[in-house]
């Protein structure tokens, strides 16, 4: 009888680039491109800056800390890059939270280890490796109906570490047995407290998961072991994380790559804040476009259908820029006041804007009673209802599955590149950003990914 | 929350910044530090430690990264099997490895004080959590080890209460480790990761990295994640911080390499063998069914041997002790000499006043039996016993290693 880890490993090792449908490969390429951009912006954020300072105290190593000019130990680089990717909450989402930040942090460091060992990793191989990890994270999280708000462990690092382990194992050339151990070792490193959202520790989760996944692969390659029943056994991953052991692990393993899920799952973010804001943000943007709505016309803005556990209810009056990304009041007020929501709106000085705060006080989230039928549809999105000063009532409703950046409504190519360039300019400047954009946008056809890393060093 | 109760996250920061260990705690910390350093020296000779060195080299590109040095040191200590234990699992390994790897200069007094603070803090939180983390499938060594290491490093770095709270908020999100890991490399890595991540948490906090100010006590926080206790249910923490047992009572030192549950049966068997000479058979009865020391009946790796009370007693029956060589070749143990029987969860003196929690029985060559109760022997080794245990363990090792151990003994 094979274990879950063995079944997963078989999938990881045997997947071929030709197995990946074009749509999924393209979705992953867009995600990789977008996430590298997010790293280039995140590295100049407060948590990114502190992380870079820590890396700077360490000796020179073989791996790139993106956007800093530093080369450090692979585990240091994976941690710093994973953290940077998620620092602004501008990285992609879907599947198991923020999928790309933890995978890519570990995966890019694994590429440089492989390169140091004389093995070149192509873009096609990078994309395939990513896909194997993404599949495991999504399959476990979604099939298991993992609810991070009830179980309290942040889904991004818990499943992201597993995904990073798969992807890193693939690039480092681990055997099936070693990959099974790597995934199990990563499972043993599951960590990340949900309450940390709205603090600097949230992006640290992504960095931690990147490093855990990479280290798990390196450890397994050297013969480190984990219990073969790490997932299904008593005192194992499923029991600890899900709170029970009744997960259909065989079915989950069989579902990997059948079909691949990237194209139907990954959302590229339009706004640099918690994804739970985006349905309402899209709704308000619609009202602004259709009705030329101005902030001073708003008497009250009600956001309907807010889950009791919604993370964006945490900070009605945010004290820091990081808090503000989890404040539905602040983000909608910003959209109304400035017609957009951008990175600069979350700098600590920006959240003192008196005009924006005045509008924020007119935003009222309507929390759904948990016994209400609507409460069950918690992932569908939020309707926004505006009462204007002249007596009108304006309503907009954008389903979460149809927000700009969703698989159904992808961000257009120009906008994706513009986002990358704006992000990249913050750390490596406009000129280098242009060169990097051209190369990273076609990462899937690159002969040698390590050469692309030089462009964003 | 009752009036006057300090919220848990703040209470942890206040404790780190304000607590001054007394002489007894310092003495206990000194002993724990000595054991950790002995463990690092001896553990470094094991094949598992060699593997950890290779992993660390790959992970760092063969560079000297302080946090990975802490990882390697703590992992090596655990491979010796002689790491000291506290109520939640492995005690000093993570703490001293993290402190010894801080790039800052810290004098010995400050180091001992910091270590004592870390251990007390972690034990207080363990008790406030009412032991629920193990019910949920988590290993105490990993979950509380990182908190102990972070608190120790925060204290050593002289962080004020606010930054110390931040260090603990960061560490909360690095608490990890599954119960199923015991007996595998992943079990060794609980202390290793704890050392590394505790050091990183304190270092980041010192530079202004912050976390959620209520991460321990709030909804979706640490207390709810690991114990199912949110909001006001960590009220007991402050009392535990202020009035917990002295460290001397908390720390357990070993006489043989292996799980803490092996120590009393091992000492008992030593005593019986001293009386009878040679045993034809050994029976250990009444082992709690949840004991981590009875995970493997027929171990095949050193990690499994450290969690096999059957292996430990077999080696003692064979030649009086457990050596590192024994751990490297557990499949060659005379396991046929030893039988281990678990108790049921319902066995207790409440049901049967004559019930003895556990017993060790040796059968002599002429068929006589002699029984003793492990509950009557001390739970922890004194200094003399520890020193002798290390000498036995290191007996077959290189002169460099024995010389290093001798130097540590002189300094003790």
């Amino acid at each position: 009888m094979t274990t879950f880890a063995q079944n997963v490993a078989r999938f990881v090792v045997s997947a071929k680039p030709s197995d990946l449908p074009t749509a999924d490969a393209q979705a992953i390429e867009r995600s990789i491109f977008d996430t590298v951009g997010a790293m280039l912006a995140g590295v100049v954020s407060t948590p990114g800056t502190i992380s870079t300072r820590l890396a700077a105290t360490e000796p020179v190593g073989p791996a790139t800390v993106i956007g800093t000019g530093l080369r450090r130990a692979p585990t240091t680089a994976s941690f710093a890059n994973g953290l940077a990717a998620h620092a602004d909450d501008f990285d992609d989402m879907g599947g198991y939270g923020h999928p790309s930040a933890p995978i890519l942090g570990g995966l890019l460091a694994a590429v440089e280890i492989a390169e140091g060992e004389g093995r070149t990793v192509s873009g096609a191989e990078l994309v395939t490796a990513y896909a194997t990890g993404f599949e495991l994270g999504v399959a476990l999280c979604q099939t298991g109906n993992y609810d991070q708000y009830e179980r309290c462990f942040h889904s991004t690092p818990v499943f992201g570490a597993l995904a990073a382990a798969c992807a890193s194992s693939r690039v480092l050339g681990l055997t099936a047995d070693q990959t099974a151990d790597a995934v199990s070792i990563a499972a043993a490193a599951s960590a990340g407290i949900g309450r940390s959202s709205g603090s600097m520790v949230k992006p640290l989760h992504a960095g931690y998961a990147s490093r855990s996944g990479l280290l798990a692969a390196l450890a397994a390659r050297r013969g480190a072991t984990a219990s073969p029943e790490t997932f299904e056994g008593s005192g194992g991953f499923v029991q600890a994380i899900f709170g029970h052991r009744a997960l259909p692990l065989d079915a989950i393993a069989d579902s990997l790559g059948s079909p691949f899920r990237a194209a139907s799952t990954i959302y590229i973010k339009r706004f640099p804040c918690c994804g739970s804001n985006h349905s309402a943000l899209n709704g308000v943007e619609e009202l602004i476009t259709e009705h030329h709505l101005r902030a001073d016309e708003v008497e009250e803005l009600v956001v309907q259908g807010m889950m009791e556990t919604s993370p964006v209810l945490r900070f009605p009056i945010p004290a820091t820029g990081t808090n503000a990304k989890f404040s539905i009041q602040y983000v909608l007020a910003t959209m109304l006041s400035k017609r957009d929501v951008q990175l600069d709106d979350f700098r600590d000085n920006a959240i003192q804007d008196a005009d924006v705060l005045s509008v924020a006080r007119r935003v009222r989230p309507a929390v759904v009673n948990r016994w209400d039928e609507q409460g069950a549809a918690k992932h569908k999105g939020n309707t926004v209802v505006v009462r204007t000063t002249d007596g009108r009532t304006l309503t907009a409703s954008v389903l979460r599955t149809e927000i700009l950046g969703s698989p159904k409504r992808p961000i257009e190519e120009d906008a994706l590149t513009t986002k990358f360039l704006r992000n990249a300019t913050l750390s490596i400047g406009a000129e280098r950003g242009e060169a990097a954009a051209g190369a990273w946008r076609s990462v899937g056809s690159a002969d040698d990914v390590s050469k692309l890393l030089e462009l964003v060093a | 929350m009752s009036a006057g109760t300090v919220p848990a996250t703040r209470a942890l920061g206040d404790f780190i910044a304000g607590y001054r260990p007394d002489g007894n705690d310092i003495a206990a910390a000194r002993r724990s530090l000595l054991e950790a350093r002995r463990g690092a020296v001896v553990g470094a000779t094991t094949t598992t430690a060699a593997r950890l060195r290779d992993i660390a080299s790959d992970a760092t590109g063969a560079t000297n990264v302080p946090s990975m040095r802490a990882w390697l040191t703590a992992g090596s200590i655990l491979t010796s099997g002689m790491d000291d234990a506290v109520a939640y699992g492995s005690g000093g390994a993570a703490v001293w490895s993290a402190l010894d790897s801080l790039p800052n200069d810290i004098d010995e007094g400050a180091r001992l004080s910091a270590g004592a603070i870390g251990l007390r803090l972690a034990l207080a939180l363990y008790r406030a959590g009412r032991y629920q983390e193990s019910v949920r499938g988590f290993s105490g060594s990993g979950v509380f080890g990182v908190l102990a290491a972070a608190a120790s490093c925060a204290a050593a770095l002289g962080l004020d209460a606010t930054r110390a709270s931040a260090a603990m908020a960061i560490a909360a999100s690095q608490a990890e480790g599954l119960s199923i890991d015991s007996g595998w490399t992943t079990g060794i890595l609980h202390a290793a990761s704890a050392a590394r991540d505790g050091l990183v948490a304190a270092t980041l906090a010192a530079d202004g990295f912050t976390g959620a100010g209520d991460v321990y006590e709030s909804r979706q926080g640490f207390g709810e994640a690991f114990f199912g206790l949110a909001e006001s249910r960590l009220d007991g923490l402050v009392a535990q911080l202020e009035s917990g047992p002295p460290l001397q009572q908390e720390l357990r030192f070993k006489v043989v390499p292996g799980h803490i549950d092996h120590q009393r049966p091992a000492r008992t068997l030593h005593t019986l063998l001293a009386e009878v000479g040679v045993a034809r058979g050994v029976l250990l009865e009444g082992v709690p069914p949840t004991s981590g020391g009875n995970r493997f009946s027929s171990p095949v790796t050193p990690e499994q041997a450290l969690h096999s009370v059957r292996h430990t007693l077999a080696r003692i029956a064979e030649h009086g002790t457990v050596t590192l060589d024994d751990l490297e070749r557990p499949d060659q143990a005379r396991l046929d000499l030893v039988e281990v029987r678990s108790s049921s969860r319902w066995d207790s003196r409440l049901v049967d006043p004559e019930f003895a929690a556990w017993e060790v029985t040796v059968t002599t060559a002429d068929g006589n039996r002699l029984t003793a109760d492990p509950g009557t022997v001390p739970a922890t080794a004194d200094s003399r016993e520890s020193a002798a245990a290390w000498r036995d363990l290191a007996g077959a090792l290189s002169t460099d290693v024995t010389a290093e151990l001798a130097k540590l003994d002189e300094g003790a």
Side-chain angles (χ1 to χ4, degrees):
Chain A
M1 195 181 73
T2 53
T3 65
F4 179 72
Q6 287 171 325
N7 289 333
V8 169
R10 202 171 44 237
F11 164 74
V12 172
V13 167
S14 63
K16 298 185 292 296
S18 55
D19 293 338
L20 203 55
T22 304
D24 296 286
Q26 287 176 344
I28 291 170
E29 287 177 41
R30 281 166 60 95
S31 274
I32 291 173
F33 175 61
D34 185 62
T35 305
V36 170
M39 288 176 182
L40 289 167
V43 79
V44 304
S45 68
T46 302
T49 303
I50 297 173
S51 165
T52 300
R53 277 203 293 265
L54 177 59
T57 64
E58 296 178 6
V60 175
T64 304
V65 182
I66 289 175
T68 67
L70 298 175
R71 291 184 69 78
R72 291 297 182 263
T75 43
T76 299
S78 65
F79 179 83
N81 292 334
L83 184 153
H86 195 31
D88 290 315
D89 234 297
F90 211 1
D91 51 312
D92 60 28
M93 60 183 182
Y96 51 89
H98 293 267
S100 294
I103 294 181
L104 216 50
L107 182 52
L108 292 177
V111 165
E112 295 195 287
I113 292 174
E115 203 245 352
E117 293 171 352
R119 281 178 296 110
T120 300
V121 178
S122 68
E125 181 50 35
L126 186 83
V127 169
T128 307
Y130 176 112
T132 63
F134 181 78
E135 280 295 298
L136 175 60
V138 177
L140 260 179
C141 184
Q142 291 195 342
T143 307
N145 282 318
Y146 180 70
D147 186 337
Q148 61 181 344
Y149 301 114
E150 292 299 322
R151 294 299 303 164
C152 307
F153 293 100
H154 187 199
S155 56
T156 296
V158 166
F159 300 101
L162 306 181
C166 289
S168 299
S169 294
R170 172 114 182 163
V171 157
L172 291 172
L174 270 60
T175 65
D177 283 347
Q178 290 170 334
T179 300
D181 273 322
V183 173
S184 300
I185 293 168
S190 303
I193 299 296
R195 179 61 189 97
S196 300
S197 290
S199 79
M200 293 186 205
V201 175
K202 185 169 184 268
L204 182 142
H205 289 173
Y208 179 85
S210 293
R211 185 190 60 192
S212 294
L214 174 67
L215 188 58
L218 293 173
R221 195 169 69 154
R222 288 288 192 177
T225 60
S227 167
E229 297 182 322
T230 292
F231 285 87
E232 51 269 73
S234 176
F237 175 89
V238 173
Q239 177 185 337
I241 297 300
F242 288 86
H244 62 82
R245 290 164 62 195
L247 228 58
L249 290 176
D250 285 347
I252 289 172
D254 287 343
S255 78
L256 298 176
S258 300
F260 281 90
R261 282 164 259 229
S264 60
T265 307
I266 301 177
Y267 290 57
I268 302 274
K269 276 193 180 178
R270 160 85 172 78
F271 303 110
C273 56
C274 177
S276 297
N277 290 310
H278 288 222
S279 167
L281 274 169
N282 275 238
V284 171
E285 199 173 34
E286 254 185 34
L287 292 179
I288 291 172
T289 304
E290 279 181 36
H291 302 283
H292 308 290
L293 182 66
R294 298 191 317 273
D296 62 358
E297 291 180 304
V298 174
E299 187 160 302
E300 186 184 53
L301 189 164
V302 178
V303 186
Q304 294 180 343
M306 298 295 304
M307 278 166 49
E308 62 182 275
T309 52
S310 174
V312 298
L313 295 176
R314 282 203 169 129
F315 303 102
I317 306 170
T320 66
T322 314
N323 288 172
K325 291 174 183 285
F326 291 81
S327 171
I328 189 82
Q329 294 91 339
Y330 179 82
V331 303
L332 294 186
T334 300
M335 173 59 82
L336 279 168
S337 303
K338 301 184 181 180
R339 298 339 215 192
D340 199 357
V341 177
Q342 297 187 4
L343 278 176
D344 282 345
D345 295 314
F346 298 98
R347 306 297 177 212
D348 284 346
N349 55 351
I351 66 166
Q352 308 302 323
D353 187 321
D355 292 337
V356 172
L357 293 177
S358 158
V359 179
R361 282 189 280 275
R362 288 175 256 156
V363 177
R364 179 168 68 84
V367 179
V368 176
N369 183 311
R370 68 165 63 183
W371 315 119
D372 190 295
E373 186 183 296
Q374 197 186 359
K378 58 188 178 183
H379 292 301
K380 280 201 172 168
N382 306 104
T383 297
V384 293
V385 180
V386 172
R387 275 193 303 109
T388 63
T389 49
D390 61 5
R392 291 174 292 156
T393 300
L394 308 174
T395 303
S397 191
V398 179
L399 293 178
R400 187 180 166 94
T401 52
E402 292 175 358
I403 61 176
L404 185 57
S406 65
K408 280 190 184 175
R409 203 173 143 216
I411 288 181
E412 293 190 7
E413 201 52 40
D414 285 350
L416 187 67
T417 302
T418 300
K419 180 184 173 185
F420 180 96
L421 290 172
R422 280 185 183 160
N423 284 342
T425 299
L426 295 173
S427 57
I428 62 174
E431 197 179 321
R432 286 185 63 198
E434 289 274 358
W440 278 94
R441 185 59 191 96
S442 51
V443 60
S445 53
D447 292 325
D448 182 354
V449 175
S450 65
K451 294 281 182 273
L452 269 60
L453 280 163
E454 292 170 13
L455 299 176
V456 291
Chain B
M1 201 175 306
S2 55
T5 302
V6 179
T9 309
R10 205 176 92 207
L12 296 176
D14 289 346
F15 180 78
I16 292 167
Y19 184 71
R20 299 290 174 263
D22 62 21
N24 290 329
D25 271 0
I26 296 295
R30 180 172 284 113
R31 174 101 191 269
S32 176
L33 174 56
L34 173 61
E35 295 302 302
R37 287 186 172 156
R38 283 166 165 164
V41 167
V42 171
T45 67
T46 64
T47 54
T48 303
R51 180 173 297 126
L52 294 180
R53 278 194 295 278
D54 287 339
I55 295 168
S57 180
D58 292 344
T60 62
T63 62
N64 185 8
V65 176
S67 59
M68 285 304 291
R69 194 167 65 238
W71 181 92
L72 179 58
T73 303
S76 299
I77 294 170
L78 255 73
T79 67
S80 75
M82 291 286 286
D83 52 304
D84 61 34
V86 290
Y88 58 75
S90 184
V95 166
W96 305 116
S97 302
L99 285 170
D100 279 354
S101 301
L102 275 174
N104 316 59
D105 282 328
I106 305 167
D107 69 46
E108 200 76 341
R111 188 187 313 272
L112 292 172
S113 178
I117 287 170
L119 287 167
R120 286 200 78 116
L121 180 147
L123 282 161
L125 196 49
Y126 167 74
R127 293 209 163 85
R130 307 177 201 180
Y131 325 119
Q132 292 303 301
E133 83 290 339
S134 63
V135 171
R136 289 169 168 248
F138 293 100
S139 159
S141 298
V143 169
F144 297 100
V146 67
L147 307 184
S152 299
C153 290
L157 293 173
L159 300 190
D160 63 24
T162 302
R163 293 210 172 186
S165 285
M168 298 313 298
I170 298 166
S173 265
Q174 298 179 99
E176 56 163 74
L178 304 170
S179 304
I180 202 168
D181 296 335
S182 296
W184 306 91
T185 314
T186 40
I188 301 278
L189 293 182
H190 290 171
S193 299
R196 176 196 62 200
D197 297 335
L199 186 157
V200 169
T203 307
L204 287 173
D207 197 13
F209 208 97
T210 56
D214 58 356
V215 72
Y216 281 85
E217 64 270 22
S218 72
R219 179 80 173 82
Q220 290 175 26
F222 180 96
E224 185 170 357
F226 286 104
F227 313 140
L229 304 173
E231 298 170 349
S232 67
R233 302 289 299 281
L234 283 176
D235 279 356
L237 174 63
V238 173
Q240 289 290 341
L241 286 169
E242 289 174 350
S243 327
L247 269 185
Q248 240 152 14
Q249 284 180 19
E250 298 272 25
L251 285 160
R252 297 278 183 268
F253 302 103
K254 297 175 180 175
V255 289
V256 290
H259 192 273
I260 193 64
D261 287 354
H262 297 185
Q263 307 305 310
R264 275 174 151 159
R267 293 164 75 97
T268 306
L269 183 55
H270 278 143
T271 305
L272 289 171
L273 289 174
E275 220 175 300
V276 307
V278 174
R280 195 179 78 193
V282 178
L283 171 64
L284 172 63
E285 293 180 281
V287 178
T290 54
S291 170
N294 193 29
R295 290 289 293 264
F296 298 93
S297 183
S298 304
V300 297
T301 66
E303 290 77 51
Q304 292 182 2
L306 292 173
H307 290 81
S308 172
V309 67
R310 189 175 176 215
H311 174 270
T312 295
L313 297 182
R315 294 303 197 177
I316 294 173
E318 281 177 68
H319 55 69
T321 188
V322 183
T323 66
L324 286 183
D325 207 53
D326 291 338
L327 295 174
E328 297 285 352
R329 281 172 260 281
D331 53 329
Q332 293 178 14
R334 286 287 314 279
L335 297 176
D336 59 302
L337 292 175
V338 179
E339 184 185 352
V340 176
R341 295 179 188 167
S342 290
S343 62
S344 82
R345 289 197 169 215
W346 317 118
D347 291 338
S348 82
R349 285 199 174 87
L350 292 175
V351 174
D352 174 4
E354 299 299 312
F355 174 74
W358 50 359
E359 287 182 341
V360 176
T361 302
V362 297
T363 305
T364 63
D366 52 9
N368 288 327
R369 291 182 175 199
L370 204 58
T371 296
D373 177 2
T376 63
V377 302
T380 183
D382 62 29
S383 303
R384 185 188 50 80
E385 288 171 320
S386 286
W390 284 109
R391 277 195 301 273
D392 282 348
L393 201 57
L397 299 176
S398 73
T399 47
D400 286 346
V401 172
T402 48
E404 257 193 274
L405 281 181
K407 253 195 324 201
L408 287 172
D409 285 350
E410 277 168 37

